[in-house]
Amino acid sequence: MKKENISQNNHDWYKPMSFYQIWVRSFCDGNGDGIGDLYGVYDKLEYVKSLGVDGIWFSPIYPSPNADFGYDISDYKDIHPDFGDLDQFKRVLRKAHSLGLKVVMDLVINHTSDEHPWFLESRKGKDNPYSDYYIWRDKPNNWKSLFEGEAWEYDPVRGQYYLHIFAKKQPDLNMDNPKVRQEVKDIMRFWLDMGVDGFREDVINFISKKEGLPDGLSFLPAATGMSHYKDGPHIHEYLSEFRKVCNEYDCFQLGEGPMTTVSSAMKYLTGKTKSLDMMFSFDHMMADCLYTEYLHRPFSLVKLKKAFTKWQNALGGKAWNALYLENHDHPRIISRYGSEYFWRESGTMLAASYIFQQGTPFIYQGQEIGMTNIKLMSIDQYVDVSSITNYHTYHLKEDPERRLHRIHLSSRDSARTPMQWNATDNAGFSKVKPWFYVNPNYKRVNVAKEEPDKLSILNFYRKCLALRKSSETLIYGDYTEHFPKDKNIYMYERSLDDESYLVICSFSRFPVKAHKPPKFSGCHGELVLCNYPDMKTDPHAGIVGNIHLGLNEQELKKGYLRPYETRVYRYIRRR
């Protein structure tokens, strides 16, 4: 790519940015009731800014019965009382903007809560204005819910079944009804007029269902029927209506696309049907599982690299990637793709593995300090609806201990434990008992302990974000993967004009040999980032935990990488 080809479109302001996702309930308790809230967010905005990010994405903070912790909304134009009120949100918004932070809201329009006034009216019968706001049938088809059994629930008040692709308390909206689409546009304008800067749109590729709702073919139990609602027949028509609203404002739209493919994503991101600026894909989150984390498989670096590179190559020069390794829907990444034993080393390496790809990086709260999965002793201690359903539905012939181990590996609750701020009681999250369990490792893994440590995961994230922001090559440059079949090392290049960065990431718990790509043979690269200390200045650089790795400086020069080591080299090609 040439510098003159870099887009200068003002609407592309999100491209050089990075975002921090806040799941408010577990972020910081500011009013002392054990639940994270907007008062706590307000107090921690300087910390968020210190990371080097440029914006915040809030998971849903609207009123909700919490059947799916905020993704079952009962009022789209208010704030959940657990978190504060609209006045407090406006205070957070003003302070964030004063710090130079954009604010993105979660827009959940595939479904509402069954306690939303629209649904309460709709269930009364077929002769009220909200009757067709939801999808009702006298007889259900064979579709399955992704969260709770069948996708249809009988309502005795109306005497019909309603569709719920997710939890029973999350009835799907009928987006074919123009009144529903108008409600969505009104919701968008409500928040945009207040000053928010865009939306992350939840399961947005599910909102259009095939006419007649035919039976689906079963290839996975929970996915029966998905072919009739994923990328549905009117999806681009409906999203174009919402895009027109956003075009009235200087905002951006980020979609979540479960089970989306590159080819289908491109229809949302390019051409006449472009309706989103970025899309969260899921391919790279399946390197240790099959379709879902609950179907666990041994981690495969080759599978991970293939997913990364597929999206980088397909979108390069045509669209823009949303980069992430963690969010509220996935277990902690060190526990999945890294090593809890080589905790600092793998946590820092994983940061470099994705932040320097082409796209906008997203960091989930606690990821930047290396928070890990929690392992609770009983399924009764978990609160995530999908984890509870999986435990009681699948692998029932296994003993309870084995089934619980599957939950330890897969539960979304691991991403929702309270943020670990310091080593005091309750990890500094709250002065009282938190709403959910604190990970027992909080005295070792917390913000206060990592702040002064130059080699900490926290400070390495800051270094990564600062390096990316300082370089047009790392933002806009072309992506090239090297040695795709290597089972231990992920190596990729970012290049723009005469400058290249070579990012080398070891996913091995043992020392491994890394080969320089032939194109860099004879070239001298400047080491601009490494997650191990300099051996010249730190005699302990070859020691991890209590293990001496036996690698001296000369051996490192020959290309050996230490466990989970990452190195970033900068090359300037002389003409």
Side-chain angles (χ1 to χ4, degrees):
M1 179 183 290
K2 300 289 186 180
K3 285 187 178 179
E4 58 264 28
N5 293 331
I6 296 173
S7 173
Q8 298 300 317
N9 187 334
N10 184 53
H11 187 65
D12 292 346
W13 50 257
Y14 57 86
K15 289 185 175 180
M17 296 178 68
S18 54
F19 281 84
Y20 188 78
Q21 182 191 355
I22 296 180
W23 202 77
V24 175
R25 180 169 293 272
S26 288
F27 187 61
C28 182
D29 174 16
N31 64 2
D33 63 357
I35 298 172
D37 49 46
L38 290 172
Y39 306 103
V41 171
Y42 185 90
D43 292 340
K44 296 295 186 182
L45 283 176
E46 286 85 0
Y47 166 78
V48 174
K49 178 66 176 179
S50 79
L51 299 175
V53 299
D54 310 281
I56 296 167
W57 155 32
F58 281 117
S59 289
I61 52 177
Y62 317 98
S64 166
N66 287 329
D68 190 22
F69 286 98
Y71 285 88
D72 50 318
I73 296 169
S74 57
D75 187 345
Y76 285 99
K77 297 181 180 179
D78 205 350
I79 299 295
H80 197 301
D82 283 350
F83 304 148
D85 53 27
L86 279 171
D87 287 339
Q88 180 59 21
F89 175 77
K90 291 174 184 177
R91 288 184 67 221
V92 169
L93 185 63
R94 286 193 298 268
K95 184 175 179 180
H97 284 165
S98 72
L99 291 171
L101 296 170
K102 300 281 190 181
V103 175
V104 173
M105 298 290 281
D106 221 309
L107 187 68
V108 186
I109 56 171
N110 178 71
H111 48 263
T112 72
S113 166
D114 65 351
E115 298 182 31
H116 194 290
W118 300 342
F119 187 79
L120 297 179
E121 289 297 315
S122 184
R123 69 193 297 245
K124 290 179 179 178
K126 302 178 181 180
D127 56 352
N128 70 73
Y130 297 95
S131 174
D132 294 327
Y133 268 46
Y134 298 86
I135 299 171
W136 297 92
R137 282 187 65 151
D138 291 325
K139 295 181 179 180
N141 59 24
N142 72 339
W143 294 6
K144 303 294 184 182
S145 162
L146 295 174
F147 279 4
E148 287 187 290
E150 305 298 325
W152 297 89
E153 185 72 7
Y154 183 74
D155 181 71
V157 175
R158 178 153 168 156
Q160 286 184 302
Y161 294 85
Y162 65 83
L163 179 68
H164 63 91
I165 297 301
F166 294 93
K168 294 177 182 179
K169 289 182 67 63
Q170 291 174 292
D172 280 46
L173 284 164
N174 177 18
M175 207 57 64
D176 292 335
N177 185 341
K179 293 181 181 178
V180 173
R181 301 199 300 277
Q182 185 58 50
E183 296 276 14
V184 171
K185 289 180 277 191
D186 290 346
I187 292 164
M188 296 172 74
R189 286 194 173 93
F190 176 85
W191 294 103
L192 291 169
D193 287 340
M194 195 179 298
V196 305
D197 302 289
F199 299 100
R200 177 266 186 186
E201 301 177 6
D202 186 64
V203 294
I204 197 62
N205 59 332
F206 285 6
I207 65 172
S208 173
K209 278 71 174 177
K210 187 173 183 178
E211 290 90 342
L213 307 180
D215 281 348
L217 297 175
S218 178
F219 67 97
L220 270 181
T224 300
M226 183 178 289
S227 61
H228 298 314
Y229 61 78
K230 185 179 81 70
D231 306 320
H234 300 290
I235 184 67
H236 297 295
E237 173 189 341
Y238 298 161
L239 289 187
S240 69
E241 294 185 31
F242 307 149
R243 185 69 169 180
K244 289 177 182 178
V245 173
C246 281
N247 285 340
E248 299 171 14
Y249 301 80
D250 184 23
C251 71
F252 87 102
Q253 293 171 276
L254 163 65
E256 180 197 31
M259 299 293 183
T260 195
T261 62
V262 165
S263 58
S264 65
M266 293 298 281
K267 296 177 183 178
Y268 294 87
L269 301 173
T270 62
K272 295 182 179 179
T273 56
K274 177 179 170 64
S275 56
L276 300 170
D277 297 297
M278 291 183 282
M279 177 173 276
F280 278 137
S281 61
F282 286 70
D283 286 356
H284 68 289
M285 301 308 295
M286 298 179 188
D288 67 346
C289 61
L290 182 66
Y291 298 111
T292 169
E293 285 90 348
Y294 191 67
L295 299 176
H296 189 263
R297 296 291 184 271
F299 171 70
S300 168
L301 176 59
V302 172
K303 187 177 180 182
L304 175 65
K305 295 193 297 182
K306 184 177 181 180
F308 278 154
T309 298
K310 177 174 67 174
W311 283 85
Q312 287 289 301
N313 289 343
L315 272 60
K318 301 174 185 176
W320 199 250
N321 272 287
L323 310 173
Y324 76 99
L325 285 180
E326 285 192 12
N327 63 34
H328 63 287
D329 271 339
H330 300 283
R332 294 291 183 175
I333 201 65
I334 291 177
S335 299
R336 297 184 63 189
Y337 295 177
S339 164
E340 292 185 9
Y341 183 84
F342 292 104
W343 164 75
R344 187 199 67 82
E345 293 75 24
S346 65
T348 49
M349 180 278 296
L350 286 163
S353 75
Y354 86 103
I355 285 177
F356 297 124
Q357 295 180 31
Q358 188 186 78
T360 295
F362 288 76
I363 298 168
Y364 179 66
Q365 65 187 44
Q367 177 185 342
E368 79 279 11
I369 60 171
M371 287 178 63
T372 59
N373 284 356
I374 194 169
K375 298 177 177 65
L376 300 176
M377 300 300 292
S378 167
I379 190 61
D380 296 332
Q381 294 176 285
Y382 286 87
V383 295
D384 169 37
V385 59
S386 63
S387 298
I388 295 168
T389 298
N390 286 340
Y391 181 87
H392 290 295
T393 304
Y394 305 112
H395 305 288
L396 298 181
K397 294 182 179 179
E398 294 182 348
D399 62 77
E401 185 177 347
R402 173 60 183 164
R403 285 159 59 202
L404 190 61
H405 176 66
R406 293 180 181 275
I407 301 302
H408 293 162
L409 294 172
S410 64
S411 180
R412 300 188 301 174
D413 280 338
S414 281
R416 302 172 182 189
T417 58
M419 179 71 177
Q420 294 161 207
W421 293 103
N422 56 49
T424 64
D425 290 347
N426 307 316
F429 165 78
S430 176
K431 294 181 180 179
V432 300
K433 183 180 179 180
W435 75 276
F436 193 58
Y437 301 94
V438 175
N439 194 309
N441 66 8
Y442 74 91
K443 291 187 178 181
R444 180 173 66 92
V445 181
N446 64 71
V447 173
K449 186 170 184 178
E450 295 187 37
E451 282 280 10
D453 181 359
K454 294 180 181 180
L455 296 175
S456 68
I457 298 176
L458 172 60
N459 283 316
F460 193 81
Y461 267 90
R462 287 173 170 148
K463 291 174 185 176
C464 287
L465 293 173
L467 178 59
R468 176 186 178 274
K469 190 175 293 187
S470 71
S471 169
E472 283 196 340
T473 301
L474 288 173
I475 297 172
Y476 299 106
D478 293 329
Y479 168 96
T480 304
E481 184 189 355
H482 297 286
F483 310 114
K485 295 183 179 180
D486 193 306
K487 296 180 180 180
N488 295 308
I489 295 173
Y490 175 39
M491 187 183 306
Y492 64 95
E493 174 191 349
R494 301 296 309 285
S495 57
L496 181 66
D497 289 342
D498 295 330
E499 183 179 58
S500 290
Y501 284 84
L502 188 64
V503 182
I504 307 171
C505 301
S506 170
F507 278 74
S508 174
R509 59 192 301 112
F510 304 103
V512 290
K513 183 73 178 280
H515 299 279
K516 183 185 293 187
K519 68 178 292 184
F520 293 106
S521 179
C523 300
H524 174 71
E526 175 193 3
L527 181 63
V528 295
L529 190 65
C530 181
N531 63 341
Y532 276 76
D534 188 340
M535 293 189 70
K536 292 181 180 179
T537 59
D538 189 336
H540 301 291
I543 299 176
V544 178
N546 294 318
I547 300 176
H548 193 283
L549 300 177
L551 293 181
N552 58 36
E553 183 177 359
Q554 187 62 32
E555 287 173 313
L556 289 174
K557 286 183 178 179
K558 292 180 179 179
Y560 282 93
L561 296 179
R562 292 159 286 194
Y564 296 99
E565 182 170 4
T566 186
R567 292 176 162 224
V568 180
Y569 289 94
R570 178 175 178 261
Y571 291 87
I572 301 294
R573 291 184 292 279
R574 305 300 180 187
R575 295 185 179 183

